[in-house]
Amino acid sequence: SLRGHFAVLRLLWLLSVFGTVLPLDGGMLFPRESSFREVKELNGLWDFRADGSPNRNEGFEKAWHKRQLAEPTVDRDTTVAYMIEMPVPASYNDITQDPTLRDFIGWVWYDREVAVPARWISDQGTRVVLRVGSAHYYSIVWVNGEKVTEHEGGHLPFEAEISSLIRREPMKPCRITIAVNNTLTLETLPPGTIQYMNDSSRYPDGFFVQNMDFDFFNYAGIHRPVLLYTTPKVYVDDITVETNFMDNTGLIRYKVSVQGGFSNTLNITLMDKDGHFVASSNGSSGVLRVVDVKLWWPYLMHENPGYLYSMKVHLIAVSETSTYEDEYTLPLGIRTVNVTNTQFLINNKPFYFHGVNKHEDADIRGRGFDWPLIVKDFNLMKWLGVNSFRTSHYPYAEEILQMCDRHGIVLIDECPGVGIKDIRSFGNASLSHHLVVMDELVRRDKNHPSVVMWSVANEPASEMPPAEFYFKTLIEHTKALDQTRPVTYVTIAEADMDKGGPYVDVVCVNSYFAWYFDQGRLDIVPLQLSTHFENWYRKYQRPIIQSEYGADAVPGLHMDPPMMFTEEYQNALLQSYHDVFDQKRNQYFIGELIWNFADFMTAQGIYRVVGNKKGIFTRQRQPKAAAFLLRKRYWRLANETGRLLPD
Ligand code: BDP
């Protein structure tokens, strides 16, 4: 029986070695305050200067990191910029009235001074770490003119320990300089190309453009919080948990890594949501047993979704001269994920994804982290009856993942592998960077119960011959990093998924029938969509998610009978897809994610009327007619598919 099957699997799980192996040095725990850790946010206004020199290199030639950007000794005769104030976090593109800055390509420089608490400097037993939540795309960081780190990639955090640097000149304020470059090349993720226009009768000298094969504005700048935090010199560097359950007993397998050298004692205490003691353990790895476990359930699948325990890791380390004490508390949810040929199981119950694709995108702030926007989006999603979303097309802020954990919103966690269309982007340099990005992504997000699947790419040119080796390597690598979650990449209906298809656990497929093809012909959707599902299923015998579908609608535009770009057409198109979904739902069809939750900005082009209008909400988060259609459907689906099925 299925039950017996899972019991055997669980036993094997207990006996197996720890599934998560991480090749990166060091952890990337989300900075949290505790009795032994402090956090100081550096959000607010920073000095900012774009390097508009023709080779975009003046900042380095004149060593802008050596002094304040605001200092008058810095030349101000370059084309774009003099020093201005820039909010952090935010994209810089839409902050000013200057189109040159909106469309800027190259290095921009930020700096600010920070008053560091005296104790952080005097106490040699304290580590001070500078952390950037994310900056797009390539960053170099200096403290008081000295380089402390560089990082490639726009949507993942990076940090540097700066304790000894700030102790050198304790009386001086500490100046942090961050240079950020948004240039995309064939080897970046996402890829892009820089094209010089050499026809001097049509373009001025040195004219160039950034080409990209993806459909969102390449927002840039410091997108997520920048902060300083402390740990003791000997500290909890990383924690990994894997969860399971047997009947009423929850199982948490944990591994803690400590950095800083000395021998130490680790005490692990698990508390429930109300702070009551549940279980404890000692040592750097082990299994915690949770009697009468409260599992982590998705929103609308249980009356108490998103149940989180807290795992407190307490460290005491002794050297000849001193004792160090550290504490880090990790929220965790106990749940399992399994995929069969036809189903996606969470806690062994079939889960049906009814949700959205999002972007981190809004007016003025671009992709900048913004609490009011995040909370509003969660309220809208819960109003809609959304139980899941995909982080299209890049990793989202950790604070968003934490909200998903607490609210029971299930996530497909996608890396920035979008727009891989040029055959040169399947080469070794691209692949090795892509593997590092997966390392960083899994390291950051491995402990989130909301994350149930990794997506390594969106709509790559998977029909090209090198795609086979590329995706085989990428998917196998990701599975080796994390054996507890399925892995996919998102493909297009028109593509032949052949090359990477055999390696995915779930087929995620986007289609735009009656939109990009057979324009205006809603009547073809039933035939094309069901034929296409049948073909994919026959070929791969994997469950299928409609990972994108939709139509642009200009809010307030009406036509009946429906025509493209009206609210009626968007509604009618969704409806025609839904009819087919409902036919396949009890077979192998396991979910539907609308494209898109909200309108979002794109590059300028004749297919986009100030951005992509496939949102069911406007960019300002007001509903179009489709939001009400979807709301009705999602709540009905929640009642039909979301209830707890008896064993
Ligand atoms: C899909 C892409 C998505 C686009 C969407 C569209 O995955 O990023 O925004 O099409 O064209 O192909 O609206």
Side-chain angles (χ1 to χ4, degrees):
S1 74
L2 205 60
R3 230 185 132 157
H5 172 72
F6 285 117
V8 172
L9 281 184
R10 259 176 242 125
L11 203 67
L12 286 174
W13 181 84
L14 268 178
L15 298 174
S16 70
V17 290
F18 208 89
T20 310
V21 191
L22 290 167
L24 296 167
D25 317 327
M28 195 51 78
L29 290 174
F30 184 77
R32 289 174 194 282
E33 292 180 314
S34 78
S35 309
F36 306 96
R37 288 174 176 236
E38 288 160 79
V39 174
K40 184 180 168 74
E41 287 210 2
L42 306 182
N43 301 335
L45 295 183
W46 288 52
D47 293 342
F48 175 93
R49 200 177 142 116
D51 184 346
S53 60
N55 63 358
R56 299 291 192 262
N57 209 34
E58 183 183 325
F60 292 97
E61 286 159 10
K62 301 209 167 142
W64 287 359
H65 52 281
K66 290 289 184 201
R67 56 175 76 87
Q68 270 184 289
L69 292 171
E71 251 177 55
T73 46
V74 175
D75 275 358
R76 290 185 178 185
D77 54 355
T78 50
T79 39
V80 173
Y82 33 87
M83 198 280 293
I84 55 173
E85 290 178 329
M86 189 56 72
V88 169
S91 300
Y92 58 74
N93 310 77
D94 293 345
I95 299 292
T96 74
Q97 294 312 100
D98 185 354
T100 336
L101 185 59
R102 182 192 61 205
D103 300 328
F104 185 79
I105 302 157
W107 291 100
V108 299
W109 293 67
Y110 291 77
D111 79 10
R112 69 163 278 176
E113 286 188 346
V114 192
V116 181
R119 197 196 56 76
W120 292 13
I121 294 175
S122 61
D123 179 1
Q124 299 284 334
T126 292
R127 280 174 76 239
V128 181
V129 183
L130 169 62
R131 177 184 178 107
V132 181
S134 78
H136 193 72
Y137 172 83
Y138 195 98
S139 311
I140 306 180
V141 185
W142 296 262
V143 171
N144 293 335
E146 275 199 42
K147 188 163 116 187
V148 295
T149 192
E150 344 191 353
H151 183 258
E152 176 175 357
H155 311 274
L156 290 163
F158 50 97
E159 47 181 51
E161 191 190 332
I162 60 166
S163 328
S164 54
L165 247 169
I166 58 175
R167 279 175 198 142
R168 254 182 239 165
E169 289 172 288
M171 300 323 282
K172 270 186 127 186
C174 154
R175 188 182 68 258
I176 299 171
T177 310
I178 306 180
V180 185
N181 191 332
N182 60 348
T183 308
L184 302 177
T185 71
L186 288 165
E187 278 103 42
T188 57
L189 265 199
T193 49
I194 295 288
Q195 187 184 358
Y196 282 89
M197 303 305 209
N198 295 324
D199 178 350
S200 60
S201 67
R202 296 169 65 215
Y203 302 98
D205 199 29
F207 188 96
F208 67 96
V209 291
Q210 169 83 74
N211 298 315
M212 304 158 290
D213 260 316
F214 55 84
D215 183 35
F216 50 88
F217 194 87
N218 189 32
Y219 277 114
I222 302 179
H223 282 156
R224 295 186 192 147
V226 179
L227 43 90
L228 291 178
Y229 72 91
T230 66
T231 75
K233 206 165 156 190
V234 187
Y235 62 99
V236 175
D237 180 51
D238 199 12
I239 305 172
T240 309
V241 296
E242 289 177 0
T243 65
N244 210 325
F245 60 93
M246 254 192 252
D247 302 318
N248 282 333
T249 306
L251 301 166
I252 302 164
R253 179 154 48 186
Y254 72 88
K255 196 164 75 182
V256 176
S257 72
V258 171
Q259 290 284 330
F262 309 99
S263 70
N264 58 64
T265 314
L266 279 166
N267 285 306
I268 318 292
T269 316
L270 189 75
M271 278 130 356
D272 68 13
K273 208 167 191 163
D274 305 317
H276 298 129
F277 174 91
V278 174
S280 67
S281 174
N282 300 313
S284 62
S285 63
V287 175
L288 294 161
R289 266 158 229 275
V290 183
V291 191
D292 287 332
V293 62
K294 291 202 176 69
L295 296 177
W296 186 93
W297 286 103
Y299 177 54
L300 301 175
M301 203 172 176
H302 191 271
E303 63 278 1
N304 191 6
Y307 192 92
L308 297 179
Y309 292 87
S310 305
M311 184 172 130
K312 188 165 82 186
V313 176
H314 187 99
L315 164 76
I316 295 186
V318 188
S319 74
E320 295 103 57
T321 50
S322 29
T323 303
Y324 298 98
E325 201 168 354
D326 190 15
E327 196 171 281
Y328 188 92
T329 301
L330 179 78
L332 66 87
I334 301 174
R335 59 114 186 83
T336 59
V337 173
N338 289 286
V339 176
T340 71
N341 287 351
T342 56
Q343 289 184 315
F344 198 97
L345 304 171
I346 296 184
N347 301 334
N348 305 333
K349 313 281 183 195
F351 178 73
Y352 186 80
F353 295 78
H354 42 90
V356 294
N357 289 276
K358 292 187 90 265
H359 263 298
E360 290 181 315
D361 172 274
D363 285 333
I364 304 172
R365 57 202 44 61
R367 229 175 283 311
F369 180 89
D370 182 33
W371 272 123
L373 179 75
I374 291 170
V375 176
K376 177 71 175 176
D377 281 4
F378 270 82
N379 288 332
L380 287 173
M381 284 192 282
K382 294 180 90 170
W383 174 87
L384 265 182
V386 158
N387 66 0
S388 50
F389 68 89
R390 171 163 71 116
T391 68
S392 44
H393 293 307
Y394 39 79
Y396 290 3
E398 288 163 273
E399 291 85 343
I400 296 177
L401 274 67
Q402 291 159 5
M403 287 213 35
C404 289
D405 293 344
R406 292 196 298 274
H407 292 263
I409 305 292
V410 165
L411 282 179
I412 300 173
D413 200 352
E414 189 159 280
C415 90
V418 57
I420 309 178
K421 308 275 192 198
D422 188 307
I423 196 153
R424 292 167 293 173
S425 292
F426 287 100
N428 281 341
S430 299
L431 179 57
S432 41
H433 176 57
H434 206 148
L435 297 175
V436 171
V437 172
M438 289 315 299
D439 294 346
E440 291 185 19
L441 178 63
V442 173
R443 171 174 70 172
R444 191 194 72 158
D445 292 349
K446 61 191 169 179
N447 294 325
H448 288 285
S450 55
V451 175
V452 300
M453 179 154 65
W454 307 109
S455 162
V456 299
N458 179 68
E459 297 188 353
S462 53
E463 72 287 355
M464 290 183 174
E468 157 128 44
F469 175 74
Y470 193 95
F471 282 101
K472 182 175 186 289
T473 311
L474 196 54
I475 291 173
E476 282 174 359
H477 179 83
T478 309
K479 288 192 184 187
L481 289 173
D482 176 10
Q483 295 167 18
T484 70
R485 291 177 179 92
V487 182
T488 191
Y489 69 85
V490 171
T491 188
I492 351 181
E494 300 73 34
D496 178 353
M497 205 191 185
D498 254 291
K499 302 290 184 290
Y503 307 102
V504 303
D505 294 310
V506 172
V507 169
C508 285
V509 58
N510 302 341
S511 64
Y512 288 93
F513 300 129
W515 187 261
Y516 290 119
F517 305 92
D518 302 300
Q519 294 162 3
R521 295 307 301 266
L522 292 169
D523 49 328
I524 55 80
V525 172
L527 174 66
Q528 291 191 1
L529 188 58
S530 55
T531 312
H532 148 87
F533 283 153
E534 292 298 316
N535 290 343
W536 284 91
Y537 187 70
R538 195 172 319 117
K539 194 156 174 192
Y540 296 113
Q541 308 279 308
R542 297 269 193 282
I544 299 178
I545 294 177
Q546 180 79 41
S547 39
E548 282 182 31
Y549 69 109
D552 289 77
V554 177
L557 206 55
H558 296 287
M559 276 283 199
D560 188 69
M563 288 183 83
M564 290 175 79
F565 292 102
T566 64
E567 296 198 29
E568 285 76 11
Y569 192 88
Q570 187 182 35
N571 256 359
L573 186 139
L574 301 192
Q575 187 62 61
S576 62
Y577 266 78
H578 296 163
D579 295 342
V580 180
F581 297 164
D582 286 336
Q583 291 160 26
K584 308 291 175 195
R585 198 147 43 87
N586 293 321
Q587 304 172 33
Y588 48 76
F589 187 72
I590 58 160
E592 49 188 92
L593 305 175
I594 179 85
W595 190 262
N596 187 284
F597 172 73
D599 293 346
F600 58 91
M601 194 49 72
T602 62
Q604 300 186 62
I606 51 167
Y607 289 97
R608 297 290 176 256
V609 190
V610 189
N612 188 309
K613 295 275 186 281
K614 294 193 186 68
I616 54 165
F617 295 100
T618 64
R619 202 184 192 204
Q620 295 71 34
R621 274 54 179 178
Q622 296 305 326
K624 301 180 192 173
F628 297 96
L629 175 92
L630 221 59
R631 178 172 196 239
K632 224 163 129 194
R633 173 169 177 81
Y634 282 2
W635 283 96
R636 182 168 60 76
L637 283 172
N639 285 330
E640 288 170 18
T641 66
R643 66 193 184 281
L644 275 185
L645 306 165
D647 252 322

